[in-house]
């Protein structure tokens, strides 16, 4: 992804978060992600219909199992929820705040919750510099009512609704009904996508990508 | 620059050199204590501010009220679905279609019975 020289960091950050939301939308429909989310809440002993229990279990799993590592300077890494879960399972996860939000929101979305990525200004300088997750229960809860519940994911000791001092928010909800192509199949500034070299390295290419590639080549 | 990790990762080329993947863990090299960071509910307040919710379309999705009695189990259909609108061109479609179906039925009957 390339930005013009005059692009402000804030515009760049907002653009990045749009992609992040698309990765959440892809992740919440991923069967592997849903199975992991179900495994986590089941192992935590959460009963059915305990919405806050499910949210708290997923949040604590992400806070305690995904390892925070900064991105390289001037590089924005994104990881799909599936990839990050596999890395956690292999003991080699390394993720920054946006990756935390992708995996957390994908798992909660896969369990049927409305989720959002919230870009925030966490140091009061007027610049959006951090990403948190936000989730909403369907039934009102005694603690939060019908409110959106922001979640700080990169620190282990933050409970639901807690954050560092925030002065500005820019929330973007994930649309589970989107009909666009999964982001890994899109053409993004030179990255191989549909009809391109979208093989994942083991010789396998998605059938739809193969079909569209054949159509494209025949024209 | 952005990088999107693939779901699967390529096998690493070791070139016959197998590194030690389980070295002894190194501890206590941190230069910061990330616990006890001041917490507040400013994000909770800001994201639920009516102006924010309106600006970003964060309205709650209403749960539809349950229908009563047996109606709960019966899917709702538009009652007009399936009705023929006799005052439109649909009439000719029904008549011509019916006539064609009749002709086919008669032809088939004649072929197999006479």
């Amino acid at each position: 992804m390339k930005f013009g020289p005059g692009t402000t960091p804030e515009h760049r950050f907002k653009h990045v978060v749009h992609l992040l939301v698309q990765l959440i939308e892809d992740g919440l429909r991923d069967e592997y992600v849903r199975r992991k989310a179900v495994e986590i809440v089941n192992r935590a002993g959460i009963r059915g219909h305990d919405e806050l229990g499910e949210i708290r279990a997923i949040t604590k799993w992400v806070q305690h199992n995904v390892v925070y590592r900064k991105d390289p300077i001037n590089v924005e890494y994104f990881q799909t929820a599936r990839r990050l879960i596999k890395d956690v399972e292999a003991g080699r996860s390394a993720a920054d705040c946006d990756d935390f939000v992708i995996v957390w929101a994908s798992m909660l979305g896969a369990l049927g919750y409305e989720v959002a990525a919230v870009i925030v200004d966490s140091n009061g300088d007027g610049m959006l510099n951090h990403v948190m997750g936000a989730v909403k229960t369907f039934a009102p809860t005694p603690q939060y009512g019908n409110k959106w519940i922001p979640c700080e994911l990169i620190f282990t000791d933050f409970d639901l609704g807690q954050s560092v001092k925030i002065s500005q928010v820019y929330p973007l909800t994930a649309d589970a009904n989107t009909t666009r192509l999964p982001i890994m199949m899109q053409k993004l500034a030179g990255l191989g996508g549909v009809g391109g070299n979208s093989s994942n390295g083991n010789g396998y290419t998605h059938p739809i990508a193969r079909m569209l590639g054949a159509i494209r080549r025949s024209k | 620059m952005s990088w999107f990790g693939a779901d699967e990762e390529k096998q690493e080329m070791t070139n016959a050199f197998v590194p030690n993947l389980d070295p002894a863990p190194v501890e206590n090299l941190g230069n910061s204590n990330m616990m006890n960071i001041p917490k507040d509910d400013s994000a909770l307040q800001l994201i639920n501010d009516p102006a924010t919710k309106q600006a970003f379309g964060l309205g709650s999705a209403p749960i539809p009220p349950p229908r009563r009695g047996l109606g709960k189990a019966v899917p709702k259909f538009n009652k007009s679905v399936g009705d023929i609108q006799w005052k439109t061109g649909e009439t000719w479609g029904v008549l011509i279609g019916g006539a064609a179906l009749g002709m086919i039925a008669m032809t088939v009957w004649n072929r197999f019975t006479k």
Side-chain angles (χ1 to χ4, degrees):
Chain A
M1 191 186 335
K2 292 176 182 173
F3 293 96
T7 309
T8 62
E10 186 165 334
H11 175 83
R12 193 169 156 160
F13 203 66
K14 286 179 179 175
H15 187 81
V16 159
V17 170
H18 275 285
L19 294 171
L20 186 154
V21 169
Q22 292 188 0
L23 281 168
I24 294 171
E25 291 166 352
D26 295 347
L28 64 86
R29 287 177 287 187
D30 187 332
E31 169 67 11
Y32 190 89
V33 175
R34 177 172 162 81
R35 271 195 285 137
K36 187 67 187 180
V38 170
E39 179 195 322
I40 291 166
V41 295
N42 285 351
R43 289 178 77 169
I46 309 298
R47 290 173 299 163
H49 304 288
D50 182 356
E51 297 191 316
L52 272 185
E54 289 180 347
I55 293 168
R56 193 165 273 124
I58 297 291
T59 303
K60 286 298 161 194
W61 186 87
V62 170
Q63 286 175 337
H64 287 273
N65 288 278
V66 183
V67 178
Y68 183 86
R69 304 277 182 224
K70 291 186 286 293
D71 282 343
I73 295 172
N74 288 332
V75 178
E76 189 57 54
Y77 274 77
F78 286 107
Q79 299 173 63
T80 62
R82 178 189 286 223
R83 170 68 183 271
L84 189 47
I85 288 170
K86 286 186 174 182
D87 279 355
V88 169
E89 289 168 342
R92 60 182 184 194
S93 67
D96 71 345
C97 57
D98 40 57
D99 302 313
F100 274 73
V101 170
I102 289 169
V103 72
W104 174 86
S106 295
M107 286 199 285
L108 284 176
L111 291 176
Y113 293 95
E114 281 186 90
V115 288
V118 188
I119 328 172
V120 299
D121 172 9
S122 63
N123 54 11
D125 64 356
M127 301 289 285
L128 300 167
N129 58 355
H130 179 49
V131 189
M132 299 173 63
V135 64
K136 200 167 175 308
T137 56
F138 279 88
T141 58
Q143 196 173 353
Y144 301 103
N146 267 325
K147 289 180 177 174
W148 280 88
I149 307 166
C151 298
E152 178 57 80
L153 301 165
I154 64 171
F155 300 121
T156 54
D157 59 336
F158 277 62
D159 200 2
L160 304 182
Q162 291 184 326
S163 64
V164 295
K165 180 76 177 167
I166 298 297
S167 57
Q168 192 184 352
V169 294
Y170 185 90
L172 288 170
T173 50
D175 177 13
N177 294 318
T178 181
T179 54
R180 59 166 175 74
L181 274 176
I183 201 162
M184 297 301 289
M185 295 174 69
Q186 294 177 17
K187 280 273 189 190
L188 283 171
L191 294 174
V194 176
N197 181 22
S198 54
S199 163
N200 58 15
N202 58 9
Y204 174 77
T205 307
H206 194 279
I208 296 175
R210 282 205 302 272
M211 183 182 73
L212 292 174
I215 293 170
R216 181 172 291 168
R217 282 189 295 275
S218 69
K219 284 185 178 176
Chain B
M1 174 182 171
S2 290
W3 179 86
F4 292 86
D7 283 341
E8 308 289 342
E9 196 172 60
K10 291 178 185 173
Q11 288 289 324
E12 290 175 14
M13 289 180 62
T14 58
N15 198 22
F17 169 69
V18 181
N20 179 10
L21 296 175
D22 296 306
V26 180
E27 293 179 348
N28 301 324
L29 292 178
N31 62 354
S32 62
N33 182 359
M34 299 305 279
M35 305 298 283
N36 303 320
I37 295 172
K39 308 176 183 81
D40 68 16
D41 64 349
S42 52
L44 184 68
Q45 302 300 333
L46 281 170
I47 198 172
N48 288 293
D49 182 71
T52 307
K53 289 175 93 169
Q54 189 177 10
F56 292 97
L58 293 179
S60 54
I63 300 172
R67 284 179 253 147
R68 291 179 185 168
L70 288 176
K72 286 181 185 174
V74 180
K76 268 192 171 177
F77 291 106
N78 187 336
K79 287 179 181 174
S80 64
V81 170
D83 287 354
I84 297 168
Q85 297 176 7
W86 295 108
K87 291 180 180 176
T88 65
E90 202 174 321
T91 305
W92 292 109
V94 172
L95 291 177
I96 294 169
L101 202 63
M103 292 292 287
I104 292 168
M106 195 176 72
T107 307
V108 171
W109 176 262
N110 288 341
R111 177 162 297 177
F112 287 100
T113 58
K114 291 184 179 176

